[in-house]
Amino acid sequence: MQQRFKRVLLPELADSELKLDPGTDDLTICPTLYWSERGAHFVVCKVAHDRYRCQFYYADADQYGTGHVDYTDLRRCVLTLLRVQADHESQSAGLSSGATAADLARQAGDDDYHGPVVI
C-alpha cells in the first residue's frame, strides 16, 4: 500500500457481515481490513482460515471486485485489489493500460462508452 499510495496507510480493523453460502440467506461475521484513499474505499475480508475476499467501492452502487471469489494468499489478494483499482482509476481518467499516445489521440472526441477493462 505504501508503494501504491506513496505514504504509510494503516488499515482499520472492522467486521463485515457476508453471505458466504449462496444457497442460504445466512450472514457470517468476518474480520475485515478497511482503508480509504483517493476517494476509493477498500475492504479485505477473512472468510475462513487462509481464505480472503476483497473489493473496492466509491458508493453503494459503485462497487468493484477483482474477478476472483477467494484468495488463499493475503498478499496476493491485496496486490490484486490495488492493481485492479489502479487500472480502474486510470480508465476513469481516460487512460488505458498499455495505451500509446496514438491510441489516446484516436479516442479523443469518441463519445461512446467503452466501460472498464475486465481482468
Side-chain angles (χ1 to χ4, degrees):
M1 291 183 341
Q2 183 175 353
Q3 184 178 8
R4 164 80 169 96
F5 297 115
K6 308 296 186 225
R7 67 185 192 92
V8 175
L9 290 173
L10 299 175
E12 297 177 39
L13 296 176
D15 289 322
S16 297
E17 290 184 324
L18 301 178
K19 184 177 170 181
L20 299 180
D21 181 359
T24 72
D25 288 333
D26 295 340
L27 297 176
T28 303
I29 296 176
C30 300
T32 301
L33 293 175
Y34 165 84
W35 69 96
S36 178
E37 186 66 26
R38 296 184 187 173
H41 304 273
F42 301 84
V43 290
V44 176
C45 305
K46 184 174 183 176
V47 296
H49 178 70
D50 289 332
R51 283 190 41 224
Y52 307 92
R53 291 185 184 173
C54 60
Q55 73 174 29
F56 67 96
Y57 62 94
Y58 298 94
D60 287 343
D62 198 14
Q63 301 176 14
Y64 302 91
T66 62
H68 297 285
V69 175
D70 291 340
Y71 292 86
T72 57
D73 181 308
L74 178 59
R75 178 177 158 79
R76 183 169 176 247
C77 179
V78 172
L79 286 173
T80 304
L81 178 65
L82 292 173
R83 287 177 182 149
V84 170
Q85 190 276 330
D87 288 346
H88 181 269
E89 188 176 70
S90 294
Q91 281 190 305
S92 295
L95 304 175
S96 298
S97 179
T100 65
D103 295 329
L104 295 174
R106 276 193 296 271
Q107 291 178 4
D110 182 2
D111 293 331
D112 292 336
Y113 175 72
H114 297 286
V117 172
V118 176
I119 297 175

